Amino acid sequence: IFSENNGCQLCLSRRRVHPLLGACIDFGKIIRMRRRLKDAYTSERDFYRRYHRHGLNVALHAVAVPCEWASFLVVSYLVASWLPLVLAAVAGAYYVLLLPPWESRLGVVAAAAQLAMACGVRAWAEALQSACLVFGSAGLVYVGSWVVQVGVGHALVEGNKPGMVEQLTVNSVVLSPLLAWDVELFCSS
């Protein structure tokens, strides 16, 4: 089925055949998709940067956004004990796809942090041993992180409204921990 020149005779294309998968892979399509994702990340980062100019606000977000995400993960544990790990793994894989190791260490570090958070929220949930306590503590952490971000960071420090008021997407929510840890934002603040 596969010719020696590494082309596929089933679809008669010049695509490369992946040696392990044994299937045609359109690498051009993959490269274009990754470029679109990278452009979307750059756009999100530029948007984020417009609302986070002061170094103190950036630092507050670097701590509060992961706390907010962890509170979401711990509530997802109440749905299914494996769910935080799956959500963290998907987010981490997305981060590495956006920022591969040969471009930036941030993608790998943020992916590892996601997995560490998933393990941490499992311990958090198991230590409390009560759905009410888990949900209540997650709510306190979530509200507390929003108070720090919006009340202190945006209202007092920046004097502006949060960017998510204008542009709230699934992508911006999933990318928020990555954006909060983006060192370029610290350096530009």
Side-chain angles (χ1 to χ4, degrees):
I1 295 177
F2 302 112
S3 67
E4 288 185 18
N5 68 359
N6 223 14
C8 178
Q9 293 183 354
L10 285 177
C11 65
L12 302 176
S13 71
R14 302 292 290 163
R15 298 177 190 158
R16 296 196 131 193
V17 177
H18 191 279
L20 296 176
L21 299 176
C24 294
I25 297 175
D26 186 348
F27 286 99
K29 192 174 191 175
I30 292 170
I31 291 169
R32 287 188 300 277
M33 179 192 71
R34 189 179 169 288
R35 191 174 299 134
R36 281 194 306 271
L37 289 173
K38 182 75 172 173
D39 290 346
Y41 175 72
T42 302
S43 174
E44 288 281 351
R45 190 179 67 205
D46 293 344
F47 181 81
Y48 189 90
R49 185 178 285 144
R50 285 196 300 271
Y51 288 87
H52 303 87
R53 295 181 180 198
H54 195 280
L56 178 58
N57 190 27
V58 172
L60 290 172
H61 277 69
V63 174
V65 168
C67 289
E68 176 186 337
W69 182 255
S71 69
F72 167 72
L73 289 178
V74 79
V75 169
S76 74
Y77 180 88
L78 296 175
V79 175
S81 62
W82 49 265
L83 192 54
L85 187 59
V86 170
L87 292 171
V90 169
Y94 185 47
Y95 297 168
V96 173
L97 181 66
L98 291 172
L99 298 171
W102 57 87
E103 288 182 12
S104 169
R105 283 183 237 130
L106 178 61
V108 174
V109 170
Q114 279 286 349
L115 295 175
M117 270 194 284
C119 293
V121 300
R122 182 179 185 102
W124 173 4
E126 289 175 356
L128 294 178
Q129 298 180 346
S130 162
C132 288
L133 288 175
V134 169
F135 196 77
S137 63
L140 286 173
V141 169
Y142 187 82
V143 169
S145 69
W146 271 93
V147 167
V148 167
Q149 292 173 74
V150 178
V152 177
H154 287 288
L156 296 177
V157 176
E158 295 268 3
N160 65 11
K161 60 185 176 186
M164 286 190 170
V165 169
E166 286 186 26
Q167 177 180 312
L168 180 61
T169 63
V170 171
N171 198 36
S172 62
V173 171
V174 172
L175 287 177
S176 59
L178 183 65
L179 291 168
W181 293 327
D182 195 326
V183 177
E184 281 187 36
L185 293 171
F186 278 108
C187 296
S188 66
S189 298

